[in-house]
Amino acid sequence: MSEIQNYETPNSVSEAADILAKGDVTILAGGTDLMVQVDAGRVEYKSTLMNIRRVEGLRGISDEGDHLRVGALTTITDLLESDLIAEHGTILTEAADAFASVQIRNAGTIGGNISNASPAGDTLVPLVVLNAEVELASKPNGSIVTRTIPIKDYFTGPGKTKKEDSELLVAVIIPKPAAGFVSTFDKFGSRPALDISTVSVGLGGVLKDGALTDVRVAFGAVAPVPLKATATEAATEGKKLDEATIDAIAATAKDEVNPIDDVRATAWYRKEMIESSMKKVLRHVSK
Amino acid sequence: MPTIEKESLIGKRVPKMDAPEKAAGRTRYVHDMNLPGQLIGKILRTDRIHAKILSMDTSAAEALPGVKAVITAKDMPAKMLGLNNDNPPLKGDKVRAERDEIAAVAAITEEIALEALKLIKVEYEDLPTLFDPRESEKEGAPHIQESKDSNVCMEFEYEHGDAAKAETEADFVIEDTFKLHYVTHACMGVSGVIADFDNITGNLTLHSNTQVPFLHKREFSEVLEMDPSRIRIIQPPIGGGFGSKLDIYPFEPIAVILAKKSRCPVKIVFTREEEFMASPTRQPAYINLRSGVKKDGTITSRVFDSLLDNGAYTSWGATIPFVMMQTASSFYRVTDCQYATKAVYTNNPTAGSFRGYGNLQATFAIEQHMDKMAEAVGMDPLEFRLKNAQEAGEVTGQGMHFKTCGFKECLSTAGEKSDFSRKFAENNANRGNGNPVKKGIGMASMLHVGGGAKIYPSDGCGTILKMDDFGHVTILTGASEIGQGSETVLSQLVCEELGVPLSAVTVVNNDTDITPWDVGVHASRTTFIGGNAAIGAAKLAKAKVLESASQVSNIPADQLDMRGGCIVRADDGEVIMQLGKLLRGMHFKDKAELVTTSFYYEPPSVHQDKGFKGDVSAAYAWATHVVEVEVDTETGIVTLDKVTAAHDVGRVLNEMSLEGQIEGGIIMGQGYALTEDLLVKEGRVITPNFRDYKMVTAPEIPEIDLSFIETQDGEGPQGAKGVGEAPSICMAAAVGNAIYNATGVRIYEAPYTPEKVYRALKGAVEAPSMAAE
């Protein structure tokens, strides 16, 4: 087991950034992924363990006019119970509801779910559909610098993101969608609770006269990163969602993914379930 | 004088005696125990599957500060574990499976012990591997156990009548192969032991999770080459057994030898991953079944052939063919039966004993075949079963004598309460409608031993009972408590005899130096056997007490009774004297005596003869489960909505505890049917955690409607039969039948996971075959 030399509990983003600047830091928030992975030997603690739970201002959801700002320490339960999220990002409420178990939702944070960067991470598909951006903070030259990255470009592989080791994920920015925007999330797993997605599908768009525009589709657990499904989006854009069209879009979705076999499912079944799930979400939003 | 009415706890809802401390988190499991000076033991397992060990270097591990002992095969007595004497506690020459133990370390901390394991260097030469039991007998198959003649580790053949001839009289002969998968017990409390030598006397105390302390003691003495009288086994409360603790496993003698070498107590507790990988599994099986049936619904013949994957070492569990055999021969009236089962060695995980002991596998095949036969002859499945079901008084072809038998009542009760026949027909008719979610109803029943099982030379249990000067009763019983509620039921039975409240009873059941012999917790036997032993000792105590009371009161003993902690007149309940006062009088009079009795109960069952014939249990339990499911044909997800179960329990002793046992078993059976799947790839368990090994979670638990059929077994304690294993046995078969009812697709392979069901619905699943590919 790796040795933790220092345990740090910064109270501000500035203090946290100072600690990160020194290097070799493991960031701890809810711990629901990190502790499990360390116990299983898949992750080793670095020499400094930094618990960010006391950093002020990182938890909560605020209305910033044209967007929502969701602090990195906002728990999955906070998301589930938020009226702002329910109003502007139903899909994220649905994903929070399908997320693990109550105990894990109470401890796990949105920042942690993003940083864990699992292609099956339950909040990631909704965030891609919502065109969210992540805000990163660091102190390269003694003063705080922030940058934002669209979440669709943020992930580079399983467990990997564009965040530098010196940066702290501080918030998620969710633009408020246009009037008439509808969205939904379907998590396919083998049981109702405590399951990792076998596949997940997120769909959003502005619904008018039975057709969707500004279509956004994302898939989870079918690629090394949460997948923004551009071909499926194009196949859906502006089309009247009758049964034949829904079938055709679902077939496009099935062709667009190239999943792998693993313990939870074969690639064949994942493709079938993407098709089935795509139909389900299209029927759901067009009703 | 006041009077006392007779009060009885039998059949009441009595909370389990250990429930408060468990609910409060106060129970101290072996994991919570620490002895002064105790070291932590850790086991090095091989990273190969099948290989010769060329060399092993432990010098760096021995040199690590904090390490107190490092052991390899050289440090162990040259004795083997297991029914076939094929499992060395530490492997010295060769490894045969992922779990194989090759060295062990005792150190002052867990971290140091783990660090030391990393310093042990091993050189191997890989050997060809064998993962498919169907390949085991083939020429050129790798030889797993070189001291054995072949890869067959256990073989059973049985017959009554002439199945081949009877088959010619059948109007329909149905033949199918079924396949069963790996599951494991997944006990909340992982395996653990503390070995503690008294360095003055050399006596060994083991704090062990075993289910069979007395057999364990004997086997330990053989494996360790120790005098058995110097071994004491103390059982802390255990966090689940379910059959997983019927054998000695390598970690136990390893802990002992580490303790001996380090001269310190040594504790070994598995990690969850070790528990999944190195504790036993249920036997995966191929079962080929051929059934003959006449047009009128009479079963003519049954030919049962099965192949079990034993893994590389042989546990007691390799004797499950005994139980599978009785389901093949005696569950229904089958006049002609031919049966064969073979267990073979592979490089897969080692199979062991698991609640139901082979009966889940056999019942999975037989009860699905019952539905196929019913369909072939155009009968409703319930009607077909009622026609062929056993009745009280039957002596089967195998020699089982069903003195009481509630099978038909189980069938009709579960059938009527669930409205089975109407729903079955309705679902059949609705299969073709456009709804992607199909409703299904399925039925399966089971027969299991309910009055012990005479496998070992004795199937008995001893009880010593003592009453103190204040009327307190202590029951010293050989019967272990493993969460099944035996303490409470034994106390209720003793209270019934001695007329004392439950609060006046203590049960001591966890120390081989104190308690009398018992064969162990298995075969659903504890309530029946331990119960009869407790009643026997209580009756002797009662006779002694009433005799003394008679002398004091000048009322004949047969006109006296014990109620409410008093001696009373039997006919009107008038209190004669306090029980404590009488006992003190007996103790402190001139011819002083104590009320201490003992009783050994041996059931009136017999050992089977060489042809496996004989009445092996003193009573038999029966049950029927009707399950209602929804099958989502777009995803393959099967949702279990409702279970209607009827069990012949003989008599209800503790309604609450019985419900708990049956509901828990149903949920365990649900996991076997639908979600639990220990995936093994090239000999390695690839689902060694609760994320990927899916136990049933709370939202998946169905509505459960239970009925208890009371047949009042003449030999049972207060008429009761054993039920511990019964509820898990027929779930998978019932779910398979319900999926067929919903979809018209029969799936011959468990578990019914979404992908498998979806594939089957798409016609993309090949039927299993006994012949290797």
Side-chain angles (χ1 to χ4, degrees), chain B residues 428-448:
Chain B
N428 256 331
N430 284 342
R431 264 183 214 158
N433 74 14
N435 191 342
V437 179
K438 311 282 186 198
K439 281 185 183 297
I441 191 165
M443 163 180 285
S445 300
M446 72 97 225
L447 153 69
H448 204 71

Side-chain angles (χ1 to χ4, degrees), chain B residues 658-670:
Chain B
L658 184 59
E659 282 171 5
Q661 187 74 302
I662 306 270
E663 287 168 1
I666 285 173
I667 295 160
M668 199 169 224
Q670 177 186 2

Side-chain angles (χ1 to χ4, degrees), chain B residues 146 191 210 223 230 284 360 399 449 477 491 581 601 634 661 745:
Chain B
E146 29 325 299
S191 303
T210 179
V223 170
R230 288 176 167 268
L360 288 88
V449 295
T477 175
S491 299
K581 190 176 178 192
Y601 175 74
E634 290 180 341
Q661 187 74 302
V745 176

Side-chain angles (χ1 to χ4, degrees), chain B residues 636-647:
Chain B
I637 292 182
V638 177
T639 307
L640 181 60
D641 290 331
K642 187 171 181 187
V643 178
T644 307
H647 280 251

